[in-house]
Amino acid sequence: MNWLGSLQQFGRAVMLPTMVLPAAAILLCVGSLPWQAWGIPEVGSIATVAGQGIFYFLPYLFAVGVALGLSNQAGQAGLAALAGMVIYEQVTAHFGNGNIHPATLVGMILGAIAGLTHNRFKSIKLPEILQFFGGTRFVLLVVGLFSVIFACLMLFVAPLLQQLLDIIAGWEYSLGGFGLFLYGILYRVLVAFGLHHLLNNVFWFQLGNYETPSGSIVQGDLPRFFAGDPTAGYFMSGLFPIMMFALPAIAFAIVHEAREDLKPKVRKTFLTASLVCFFTGVSEQIEFAFLFAAPYLFIVHAVMSGLAMWLTYILDIRHGFSYSAGAIDYVLNFHLSHNAWMLIPIGIAYGVVYYVLFRWAIRRFRIPTPGREEGSVLDDWVGNIPYQAPLILEALGGKQNLIQVEACITRLRLTVHNDRLIDSNAMKALGSAGLIKLGGGNVQVVFGTYSELIREEIAKLMERDLQQVLFCAPVQGVMMPIEEVPDQIFAAKLVGDGVAFVPERGELVSPVFGTVMHLYPTMHAIGISTREGLEVLIHIGIDTSQLKGCFQAHVQAGDTVEQGQLLISFDMNILKSGAASLATPMVITNPELVKSWSFAPFKSVKKGQASVMSVVLHDRNVGGVES
């Protein structure tokens, strides 16, 4: 599946330049207001020209965006792609027959060439007398020369290529509603792999031509819709009922089928997700909540999406969007649509069908959607990202396992040395809605709309050489803040700082690599010294030093222990009946060594789960660095 990994990188790069389109939609909407009646027609004219200008220069934006996306945001690659587009446009304009126009496909090709050339030759060394052209300057030189040759070839190839695109477009349109049905299914299926941007780019930006009143040529369903083409919008209209009504209905079904004790948090999480989907059309948070738990439901969802495309075609509904099929785009672009009012009753009907279908399926087949088990719930990330990022980095296998970290709107797109080192359970506990391994070390992790901020925090961590120690869960049970331990000595952090757990099974394992410093005679507590000098105390239960026959040690003082190694086993029945509380603190007794703390969500954990706590040490000369 390595080719899927390569496509995911290209798909992310192709999506980057489309981020400017909402600005064009807003400008065109502003331009459509009755400025003439208000006595200031210049405002409408300026806004309209500005919005149309973005679509006119869309091939240039694709060239720069794809180059930046493939070169890890290297400015030299973007500049090389822009120069290549200028060269292409000048050569074809002067030596062509007037029918060759810059196209998004050309922009993507030159952007890909610039990005790949940068990755291959950015560090090239030439002989000393030619070294001025070495390094990243060599990229500009190569792409510039390539663009000349490419433009000359396109003088002959472009007309043939355009004929091919016209044939494909004609074939697709000849299928009518059935063609849109197939497109809708394929679009939904590719969402699961993060490759839908590649499909959409063909239909939204390349198929179909329209000559504007000013004489310029625009291509693709999306630019043609905004240019006023009366035949455009069919490849976008059917998405509005799905994004605005069907997927939010799934979110409500998940909330209503959640356990009563988990329902408040699930309600908060999925109410937010449904509003995000309704207003902006960002749907992955909801779709990944059932994609892995019930893939057959996702197939039904894909077919229903295709039927929505077919239905809007039959009813001659044409509507479009700059970003996605949410309510914001629905309202902004309504003035350009045709029969778009019918999308509302269609959407309501779809919402009712989806809600009834998913509630029945979740209950009938006992689908473990969030809230029906101690699974992943998309947590509120606001303010928590800097604290969660070290734990996410560790769950990804540590910074030594990461080759490249990128992000799109809702997911991290990673290239790793070994995808087997990724702890999927830890990622789920940290708020991931889904993890997809595409092969070749290419991985996607869905974190919702905070993915870009998470990427930035991970990038900061990878640039710093931190003295960091990571702790796995010492027991299976529920993690809790140390302040909630029903013992004033631990709760007030008089012994040290850390976290606590309520165990569900009678096994205590080592949370770190280190050496056993102390094993109390009653074996109810143990102290471990890490290689970095941290002293860790784990105390099983509160007021348990007098419980006889409850604890059995499997190590002794002086032993070297590894993460996950069994330290002490204990009788849960005796502990429950004799302890003041089951709360088991895990604290660092010399917290003055710690610079910052990070904690996983306070929820259920498995024994040995990495990582539930991470600390960064002050700069000092001690031991090695935990990785």
Side-chain angles (χ1 to χ4, degrees):
M1 294 178 65
N2 291 356
W3 61 276
L4 282 179
S6 301
L7 283 178
Q8 83 144 340
Q9 294 182 346
F10 187 62
R12 188 196 65 81
V14 165
M15 185 195 65
L16 182 62
T18 65
M19 294 298 97
V20 75
L21 294 182
I26 293 173
L27 288 169
L28 291 175
C29 181
V30 170
S32 68
L33 296 176
W35 299 103
Q36 183 77 33
W38 296 341
I40 43 177
E42 295 82 4
V43 175
S45 299
I46 292 173
T48 300
V49 170
Q52 292 175 346
I54 291 177
F55 285 104
Y56 178 80
F57 287 100
L58 202 56
Y60 295 81
L61 297 175
F62 267 92
V64 175
V66 170
L68 292 175
L70 291 178
S71 63
N72 199 21
Q73 312 301 318
Q76 297 90 340
L79 181 60
L82 179 60
M85 279 299 300
V86 172
I87 292 171
Y88 174 86
E89 192 273 334
Q90 289 296 308
V91 171
T92 55
H94 283 80
F95 299 99
N97 57 7
N99 293 326
I100 300 178
H101 304 277
T104 56
L105 178 60
V106 173
M108 291 168 55
I109 293 173
L110 290 176
I113 293 298
L116 297 175
T117 301
H118 176 272
N119 295 341
R120 177 65 178 84
F121 297 110
K122 62 183 177 181
S123 301
I124 190 172
K125 293 182 179 180
L126 300 176
E128 186 174 355
I129 59 175
L130 298 175
Q131 184 53 34
F132 174 80
F133 298 104
T136 55
R137 290 183 291 272
F138 186 76
V139 177
L140 295 167
L141 177 63
V142 169
V143 175
L145 295 177
F146 172 84
S147 299
V148 175
I149 300 173
F150 178 73
C152 292
L153 290 175
M154 288 299 286
L155 291 173
F156 305 98
V157 175
L160 300 177
L161 186 60
Q162 186 58 57
Q163 290 179 16
L164 177 61
L165 290 174
D166 291 340
I167 291 173
I168 296 174
W171 172 76
E172 174 64 31
Y173 287 123
S174 69
L175 293 176
F178 183 70
L180 289 165
F181 171 72
L182 296 178
Y183 165 78
I185 293 177
L186 188 57
Y187 170 92
R188 214 78 253 164
V189 170
L190 291 179
V191 165
F193 300 97
L195 301 177
H196 52 297
H197 303 298
L198 296 178
L199 175 73
N200 293 338
N201 187 271
V202 175
F203 290 96
W204 291 355
F205 297 106
Q206 295 178 32
L207 292 187
N209 296 303
Y210 176 68
E211 184 174 354
T212 66
S214 62
S216 60
I217 302 295
V218 292
Q219 294 179 314
D221 201 48
L222 193 151
R224 289 190 292 113
F225 173 80
F226 283 98
D229 185 351
T231 66
Y234 288 117
F235 286 92
M236 296 178 282
S237 302
L239 296 175
F240 283 98
I242 301 299
M243 301 300 193
M244 291 174 58
F245 297 96
L247 287 166
I250 296 175
F252 287 120
I254 290 173
V255 171
H256 293 156
E257 287 299 320
R259 284 174 13 199
E260 288 301 321
D261 58 324
L262 297 177
K263 190 170 288 186
K265 189 165 188 178
V266 173
R267 181 185 296 113
K268 176 184 177 182
T269 298
F270 279 90
L271 178 60
T272 301
S274 64
L275 290 175
V276 168
C277 189
F278 176 79
F279 283 108
T280 69
V282 176
S283 62
E284 280 93 337
Q285 291 186 358
I286 299 174
E287 289 179 300
F288 275 83
F290 67 92
L291 170 61
F292 298 107
Y296 48 86
L297 270 183
F298 196 83
I299 295 174
V300 173
H301 170 48
V303 174
M304 292 286 288
S305 298
L307 289 174
M309 301 292 294
W310 199 341
L311 180 60
T312 55
Y313 176 82
I314 293 174
L315 297 176
D316 192 27
I317 301 173
R318 288 182 283 103
H319 202 357
F321 47 78
S322 60
Y323 170 63
S324 188
I328 295 175
D329 261 302
Y330 179 86
V331 174
L332 280 177
N333 309 320
F334 189 83
H335 64 288
L336 297 172
S337 66
H338 178 70
N339 288 335
W341 66 269
M342 287 191 284
L343 292 174
I344 301 301
I346 293 173
I348 293 173
Y350 254 77
V352 171
V353 170
Y354 265 65
Y355 177 79
V356 173
L357 172 63
F358 273 77
R359 279 207 71 174
W360 172 81
I362 291 171
R363 184 178 302 177
R364 173 68 176 80
F365 300 108
R366 299 181 180 179
I367 300 172
T369 50
R372 291 178 63 82
E373 62 171 3
E374 292 290 351
S376 170
V377 176
L378 300 176
D379 289 306
D380 183 4
W381 282 91
V382 178
N384 292 330
I385 295 175
Y387 306 100
Q388 303 274 29
L391 303 175
I392 295 173
L393 179 59
E394 172 63 15
L396 291 172
K399 64 181 181 179
Q400 71 279 358
N401 191 41
L402 298 184
I403 299 174
Q404 186 176 20
V405 182
E406 296 293 343
C408 61
I409 301 300
T410 58
R411 61 187 88 189
L412 296 178
R413 294 174 180 256
L414 313 164
T415 304
V416 299
H417 290 290
N418 185 356
D419 58 19
R420 294 182 180 179
L421 297 179
I422 297 177
D423 189 335
S424 58
N425 290 328
M427 296 303 297
K428 186 177 181 182
L430 288 166
S432 165
L435 186 148
I436 305 171
K437 297 180 180 180
L438 297 174
N442 295 285
V443 179
Q444 297 177 359
V445 188
V446 179
F447 275 113
T449 51
Y450 289 105
S451 295
E452 177 60 31
L453 298 178
I454 296 172
R455 184 202 68 80
E456 292 178 2
E457 290 298 325
I458 291 177
K460 293 177 185 177
L461 292 172
M462 294 184 66
E463 292 174 359
R464 288 181 284 174
D465 187 15
L466 300 176
Q467 280 267 82
Q468 186 177 13
V469 182
L470 299 147
F471 292 73
C472 72
V475 297
Q476 177 168 317
V478 179
M479 182 172 162
M480 61 187 292
I482 192 68
E483 295 84 356
E484 296 182 8
V485 173
D487 181 275
Q488 287 302 311
I489 294 178
F490 283 110
K493 304 181 182 180
L494 299 179
V495 178
D497 200 355
V499 294
F501 304 85
V502 178
E504 296 174 350
R505 293 186 181 180
E507 291 183 329
L508 178 78
V509 300
S510 178
V512 290
F513 295 92
T515 303
V516 177
M517 294 188 305
H518 307 292
L519 179 62
Y520 289 75
T522 52
M523 295 174 288
H524 72 289
I526 188 170
I528 301 173
S529 175
T530 72
R531 293 176 292 185
E532 297 79 14
L534 292 178
E535 297 176 357
V536 183
L537 171 67
I538 310 173
H539 193 287
I540 305 174
I542 302 300
D543 295 339
T544 54
S545 59
Q546 305 303 318
L547 297 181
K548 297 181 179 180
C550 180
F551 306 101
Q552 179 182 354
H554 299 273
V555 294
Q556 57 186 356
D559 284 357
T560 300
V561 294
E562 299 180 351
Q563 271 191 338
Q565 180 177 337
L566 181 61
L567 302 176
I568 300 171
S569 55
F570 50 94
D571 191 314
M572 282 296 298
N573 293 325
I574 296 177
L575 192 68
K576 288 178 180 179
S577 60
S581 170
L582 295 179
T584 299
M586 178 182 73
V587 297
I588 297 175
T589 58
N590 52 348
E592 66 277 3
L593 301 184
V594 178
K595 180 179 180 181
S596 63
W597 305 72
S598 301
F599 301 100
F602 294 103
K603 57 172 64 173
S604 294
V605 295
K606 295 182 179 180
K607 178 184 65 179
Q609 177 180 313
S611 294
V612 296
M613 184 174 79
S614 168
V615 298
V616 175
L617 307 183
H618 290 288
D619 294 334
R620 56 198 296 268
N621 251 339
V622 293
V625 178
E626 192 76 42
S627 61

